[in-house]
Amino acid sequence: MSRDMARNYIGGKWCDSAAERLDVRDPSTDEVIGQVPLSSSKEVEAAAQAASDAFEEWRETPPVVRIQYLFRLRELMEENYEDLARTIVLEEGKTLDEARGEMRRTIENIEVAAGTPSLMMGRNLEDVARGIDEEVVRQPMGVFACIAPFNFPAMVPWWFSPYALATGNTYVIKPSEQVPFSQQRIFELLHELDLPPGVINLVHGGREAVEALVEHPSIVGVSAVTSTPVARHIYAKASAQGKRAQCQAGAKNFIVVMPDADLGRAVPGLITSFFGCAGERCLAGSVLVAVGDVYEPLKERFTAAARDLTVGNPMDETVQMGPVISQQHRERVLAHIEAGLKEGARLILDGRAVSVEGCERGYFLGPTILDDVHPDMSIAKEEIFGPVPSLMRVGDLSEALDIIDRNPYGNAASIYTSSGAAAREFKYRVRCGNIGINVGVVAAMAFFPFGGTKESFFGDLHGQGQDAVDFFTEKKVVISRW
Ligand code: NAD
């Protein structure tokens, strides 16, 4: 497992960076597991140049040949599955099962991208006028880049990069500086493929590297997955230069439970949604909205199930929730709880004092539930990104829909109900990119588009599947007469 110095991978070679380094810590123990360079704009320039130099030859490589590399990468990922999952756990802190799930989703995107020769096919019509044919063809555009967040260190760059490569573009990945080693490990596997140098490159770093990527003239588009202020900034900067940009951003997800919901089936889904990945996923539930009479039984069963969760070292197979990513983030989540209490919310489950034997310095926070939350409180409006659900009580579905509508984010929302009419009303009215009906974590499979609306997404084409192929290609119409 790579646990020392994260290195850049540029033009098919591992490169030591001369830049300032940051310590990378295991969130379960606070131990330093390695260092990451905050690469300079010069190093980004070298990666962009290598990708640009590789482009002409790569675009001329037939798609059926390009996807052979993806098949082989898929096999290498399967062979190294457990090692990759453990690398994710080590640097991110999610549980082993959650990390295995992340690797599965990573591989699924590679599998779907291997269908690119079909997804990329153009269309044609003979005799648009007598003796004249018209066709539309798709072509790759050049060098694209991905700017990734900490919470899915392996998967997020692979929502985009397999499609970019299969369609004939070349690529630069910049992982989050908090979790450099999962991509490092994936690039060790990529290195075994003998791809032409420069087709895919890895640059570690922070803000300077991001700015340099977005500004670089050879980079024609970016896929960013970040908090909302960063996404808005990257989108504005990239699009002002005429670049393509798809920027997936923050979230505040509401889950509505109707009085007719089957709580026996709903509660396990709710627990996974609010506490899975310690609440650090853009699809995590954040506000639990109880409609009418369901409030009391829902509160009781949800709180009891949350209290039973095993918090601990995520490398332990029996543990159900690991730490949050950093001490700084833990303090941010605690500040949200404090703000909620000041605004009048009530703690009905307090996980702030949780302690894990053998991991006393880890960034743990037990399940924490705030009740009596009102829509105008900060905890009901702002992204928390931790295991801290807010419980809210409303009179009817229409009131719940109005609250969701007023929230600036639009990543995901779910309803638990046994009424087709309520489910239909919800699906029809809620303006979110991902809607769950009796499903709490609305994670689109790789052959569906993935992205949000409102302040959760800046751009138009989403990640994954056909949307990704559209994002990475431009269309030309050819009209011919012979
Ligand atoms: P972040 O915004 O702090 O960092 C994400 C990336 O942006 C990193 O690579 C980082 O180096 C870079 N970055 C940070 N600050 C920057 C700045 N000022 N200028 C330029 N670049 C900067 O986010 P994070 O804490 O790593 O990840 C969590 C956030 O990502 C949450 O808001 C979460 O909702 C969001 N997210 C969204 C999705 C989605 O699909 N919508 C998926 C995963 C995570």
Side-chain angles (χ1 to χ4, degrees), residues 143-335:
V143 185
F144 282 84
C146 173
I147 295 152
F150 79 81
N151 64 327
F152 283 88
M155 177 182 73
V156 166
W158 296 85
W159 281 344
F160 313 105
S161 56
Y163 306 95
L165 298 183
T167 50
N169 299 281
T170 55
Y171 213 70
V172 181
I173 291 176
K174 191 212 79 70
S176 160
E177 62 275 37
Q178 297 189 88
V179 289
F181 292 116
S182 300
Q183 288 307 318
Q184 177 90 7
R185 194 66 199 94
I186 290 175
F187 270 74
E188 283 165 13
L189 302 179
L190 275 163
H191 187 64
E192 291 180 32
L193 299 182
D194 281 329
L195 268 160
V199 165
I200 184 160
N201 305 274
L202 175 68
V203 181
H204 294 288
R207 191 174 174 166
E208 181 178 347
V210 171
E211 301 295 345
L213 281 169
V214 179
E215 280 164 20
H216 197 282
S218 297
I219 290 184
V220 298
V222 286
S223 303
V225 181
T226 67
S227 53
T228 291
V230 177
R232 187 186 285 113
H233 166 71
I234 292 174
Y235 183 73
K237 189 165 178 168
S239 48
Q241 298 169 82
K243 299 182 180 200
R244 288 199 173 176
Q246 45 179 193
C247 301
Q248 300 184 195
K252 184 78 183 172
N253 304 321
F254 290 71
I255 302 192
V256 177
V257 182
M258 298 295 287
D260 59 17
D262 174 347
L263 289 188
R265 292 169 71 184
V267 169
L270 293 171
I271 291 292
T272 311
S273 175
F274 284 92
F275 301 109
C277 300
E280 293 174 318
R281 60 179 159 195
C282 65
L283 292 172
S286 184
V287 182
L288 181 56
V289 186
V291 177
D293 291 346
V294 82
Y295 170 76
E296 286 296 345
L298 174 65
K299 178 166 82 170
E300 192 184 310
R301 291 170 77 160
F302 181 65
T303 309
R307 191 178 286 119
D308 278 353
L309 285 171
T310 315
V311 179
N313 186 335
M315 286 288 183
D316 175 343
E317 298 274 2
T318 63
V319 158
Q320 293 164 297
M321 198 171 90
V324 297
I325 184 68
S326 64
Q327 188 54 28
Q328 194 191 22
H329 185 57
R330 186 173 182 278
E331 278 158 22
R332 236 181 343 240
V333 177
L334 290 173

